[in-house]
Amino acid sequence: MTTLQTRPDTTETAAAAVPSVSAGQVFRDAVASEWMKVRTLRSTYAFFIAGVGAFLLGMFILFMLIQSFDAAPPENQSNYETADPTVVVMPFVMFFIGAIGGMLITSEFTTRSIGPGLLAVPQRRTLLAAKATVVGAIGLFGGLLFALLSFSGATLLLGDRPAPLNPWPNPTDALPTVFCAAALVMITCIVTLGLGTVLRSTASTLTTLGGLVLVAPVFAHFLPTTWQLRFGSILLPNLTPQIVGANHPWMLSQAGAVAVAIGYAVVALGVAAFAFKRRDAS
Amino acid sequence: MIVVKELTKRYGSTLALDNLSFEVRPGVVTGFLGPNGAGKSTTLRIILGLHEATSGEALIGNRRYDRIRRPLHEVGAVLDADAAHPGRTAFQHLACLARSNGIGKSRVTAVLEQVGLASVVHKRVGGFSLGMRQRLGIAGALLGDPAVILLDEPVNGLDAVGIRWIRGTLRALAAEGRTVLLSSHLMSEMALTVDHVLIVGRGRLLEETSMTAMRDRFERDVLVRSPRADELAPILTGLGATVTRTEDDGLVAVGVDAPTIGDAAAAASIPIHGLTPRSASLEDVYLEMTSDAVEYRAATERTA
């Protein structure tokens, strides 16, 4: 143990001695701190590895589908569904990368480290905006990484096989879908951050996220067709084909799908900001 | 300087703080004392912007805490020793806080050394004892070299060496002119650490005084031993004291202090073999003052 090193000057006037900083600098420092927090959470890497697992599983399923396609008689090959990784891989990527976004705040509530976090950055909207910035960046770049990997893997596996199994006979046709899928992972991350801020519980947040991106699309299939299309059209995993204008059964226009996607983020952050500001912390 | 003005806080139908007002001055260690449920932690949380007051305000250096842009440079606080992510190392925990206030990593290393955690810098907080987590919390409070320090029950979980260390640390910080406020429900701990004491119960300020004045105020009587007690008793009564005899031929004098008794005995050439000022223990005094403000009490305590 060391003894206390006292400083020579007394500090009731220390407040005056602290250099004033701009609101922008406070925000940049908060973003840097949140980035450090997310890098030092073990769950970040666990969910990222789970995303890799989902990608590998998706590629395996596509491989099996292609094997089945190749073994099928030519007259049956036109009945095969498209080998679109948006359907197989990206909902799981949305869940696992989205979970990283939720964990950035729920881990603080569950471990009570939200207290020191707010003592360091007491402007709650600034803190939430910093978290949203970091979470959004992770979602965008994580989504882009997995989308590129998935589409590259699918393109390699599909080779020169024809449509409808191969949705992109020309690989560059896949780029809008790749970027749109990445953007939707970013929005999912922000939505999960909002959920986590309101629910303050990791279990509740991940359950809700799973319901939103994994269970609800399956549930929609059990609805009457009209309601299936209405309900399914506004689900996050189904927005990608509607935004890029691909061939799909859903009901939204491209602009409508973009508006719904933005609406998810705006509503999630708005409700989160309101709750975070109003409620006592810890 | 911390100023709390007419602070009231309600949680539903529960009134946690009831028009609480006080000031905490720099240069002394101020104790915030009260039984469990008295409102100490709530007050500290409102001062630090973690909870919103129903009415009233709490200011640090004439500002609300949430108006301070880099608060770690001005205020250091520990409210909960367990408030650190168990998966992070001590260094990572402090580095995350430091980065948000533009504080460098060298300062993180320095405060970890200062609180005696240099050897476990890269150990995960989940493996820390309660005492180590208390030290980590205090390291966090010292990160920005702040002028105001608030600690909630800082000796909980500390061993004797740790308690002595924190006493010395707090006194040294106050001696540098800093404002130091610490809460506790243990009078015995406060008696050795603080200069000034605020006693609260049921959300109200019951007493504000210096620790010295508190000791003096509750001095009870003087026990006198003399082989000629029979002759001394009427002299003390003549000085206005109420005198009673003990079973072992001693005298208990109330209403007159020890020097006066000594002078009177010397003037009458009466030998004195013992002169013992007796006071209520601070613990007794504290329990007496807060007896109406204790929120939870066992049945045996009620009938005692």
Side-chain angles (χ1 to χ4, degrees):
Chain A
M1 189 193 313
T2 59
T3 55
L4 179 72
Q5 301 297 309
T6 57
R7 61 181 189 175
D9 55 326
T10 58
T11 56
E12 181 52 19
T13 57
V18 175
S20 62
V21 290
S22 65
Q25 184 62 48
V26 169
F27 177 70
R28 285 192 291 277
D29 284 343
V31 169
S33 171
E34 294 304 320
W35 174 239
M36 192 179 282
K37 284 181 189 174
V38 83
R39 283 195 298 113
T40 52
L41 277 176
R42 283 181 289 183
S43 60
T44 300
Y45 302 98
F47 282 118
F48 189 82
I49 290 167
V52 172
F55 157 70
L56 293 174
L57 182 65
M59 290 302 101
F60 179 70
I61 291 169
L62 281 184
F63 175 75
M64 299 291 283
L65 179 67
I66 291 165
Q67 291 283 302
S68 171
F69 174 86
D70 289 346
E75 63 270 23
N76 288 349
Q77 288 183 337
S78 60
N79 296 329
Y80 272 73
E81 288 192 17
T82 180
D84 183 353
T86 308
V87 177
V88 182
V89 178
M90 291 315 286
F92 291 95
V93 170
M94 281 178 162
F95 178 78
F96 290 121
I97 302 299
I100 294 173
M103 289 295 289
L104 187 58
I105 187 126
T106 60
S107 69
E108 295 196 18
F109 281 117
T110 53
T111 63
R112 304 206 292 273
S113 56
I114 189 72
L118 279 169
L119 292 183
V121 184
Q123 300 81 15
R124 297 190 185 194
R125 285 188 184 137
T126 301
L127 184 62
L128 185 63
K131 285 183 187 292
T133 303
V134 169
V135 157
I138 289 170
L140 185 62
F141 289 105
L144 197 57
L145 173 70
F146 281 108
L148 279 172
L149 280 174
S150 300
F151 287 95
S152 302
T155 303
L156 281 173
L157 289 172
L158 286 165
D160 57 359
R161 289 173 182 81
L165 181 73
N166 188 342
W168 316 287
N170 183 352
T172 56
D173 295 344
L175 287 179
T177 304
V178 167
F179 289 117
C180 184
L184 282 167
V185 174
M186 178 185 76
I187 285 171
T188 306
C189 274
I190 291 171
V191 168
T192 316
L193 175 70
L195 283 171
T197 308
V198 174
L199 298 174
R200 297 180 166 200
S201 154
T202 301
S204 304
T205 301
L206 295 191
T207 302
T208 310
L209 172 64
L212 198 60
V213 300
L214 299 176
V215 178
V218 177
F219 172 75
H221 283 290
F222 296 102
L223 295 172
T225 306
T226 310
W227 282 102
Q228 177 194 344
L229 293 177
R230 284 178 182 164
F231 181 59
S233 296
I234 59 168
L235 294 177
L236 277 167
N238 297 336
L239 289 175
T240 301
Q242 297 180 86
I243 291 173
V244 297
N247 193 18
H248 61 80
W250 310 113
M251 300 175 73
L252 296 177
S253 64
Q254 283 181 286
V258 169
V260 168
I262 293 170
Y264 267 107
V266 169
V267 170
L269 278 183
V271 173
F274 180 78
F276 200 39
K277 176 77 178 160
R278 288 289 298 254
R279 288 152 75 179
D280 290 339
S282 68
Chain B
M1 172 83 97
I2 300 169
V3 178
V4 170
K5 292 181 192 168
E6 299 172 357
L7 216 53
T8 297
K9 175 69 176 177
R10 280 188 177 279
Y11 296 105
S13 60
T14 305
L15 183 62
L17 297 180
D18 185 6
N19 215 27
L20 182 66
S21 298
F22 61 83
E23 291 185 359
V24 182
R25 299 189 315 273
V28 294
V29 181
T30 301
F32 196 38
L33 189 64
N36 291 330
K40 306 183 297 294
S41 295
T42 300
T43 306
L44 295 185
R45 284 171 192 280
I46 291 173
I47 291 171
L48 294 166
L50 295 176
H51 287 198
E52 191 71 28
T54 305
S55 65
E57 63 178 358
L59 305 174
I60 299 177
N62 292 322
R63 283 177 297 172
R64 279 170 56 113
Y65 187 84
D66 60 8
R67 299 276 186 269
I68 306 173
R69 284 190 168 164
R70 278 186 165 167
L72 298 187
H73 291 277
E74 301 180 38
V75 183
V78 186
L79 297 183
D80 181 356
D82 287 329
H85 195 291
R88 290 198 180 100
T89 67
F91 185 88
Q92 287 170 342
H93 170 68
L94 292 187
C96 289
L97 299 177
R99 185 65 192 86
S100 66
N101 277 244
I103 298 167
K105 290 182 177 176
S106 59
R107 177 65 185 163
V108 173
T109 305
V111 292
L112 283 168
E113 286 175 1
Q114 191 173 340
V115 301
L117 293 179
S119 60
V120 291
V121 164
H122 297 297
K123 189 176 171 185
R124 292 190 193 282
V125 176
F128 279 20
S129 67
L130 181 54
M132 290 163 78
R133 292 199 296 273
Q134 283 282 20
R135 285 171 183 264
L136 180 63
I138 291 165
L142 299 175
L143 263 179
D145 199 16
V148 178
I149 292 167
L150 296 95
L151 306 173
D152 194 8
E153 307 273 1
V155 299
N156 278 1
L158 289 181
D159 56 16
V161 175
I163 290 171
R164 178 169 290 189
W165 169 79
I166 203 163
R167 266 186 219 140
T169 300
L170 294 177
R171 298 199 73 81
L173 291 168
E176 290 179 322
R178 300 178 210 241
T179 304
V180 181
L181 175 64
L182 70 146
S183 80
S184 177
H185 63 278
L186 300 173
M187 185 72 203
S188 52
E189 182 47 48
M190 287 286 192
L192 296 168
T193 311
V194 309
D195 308 297
H196 195 77
V197 66
L198 305 162
I199 299 177
V200 290
R202 291 194 182 277
R204 295 187 301 272
L205 186 66
L206 301 178
E207 184 78 33
E208 179 174 2
T209 183
S210 73
M211 193 53 83
T212 309
M214 192 162 167
R215 278 200 193 91
D216 293 347
R217 213 173 102 188
F218 293 95
E219 196 166 274
R220 278 184 177 159
D221 53 33
V222 181
L223 177 64
V224 186
R225 300 215 175 273
S226 169
R228 290 160 58 190
D230 290 341
E231 295 173 52
L232 183 59
I235 296 172
L236 297 182
T237 305
L239 292 172
T242 303
V243 180
T244 53
R245 293 192 74 94
T246 63
E247 289 179 1
D248 53 353
D249 289 337
L251 298 175
V252 174
V254 179
V256 62
D257 62 11
T260 306
I261 295 171
D263 291 346
S269 300
I270 297 173
I272 296 287
H273 291 176
L275 201 55
T276 310
R278 299 192 303 185
S279 59
S281 73
L282 285 172
E283 199 76 51
D284 292 339
V285 172
Y286 164 60
L287 290 173
E288 190 181 309
M289 293 174 73
T290 59
S291 60
D292 292 334
V294 175
E295 190 170 16
Y296 304 105
R297 194 194 301 266
T300 49
E301 292 173 89
R302 287 194 196 98
T303 55

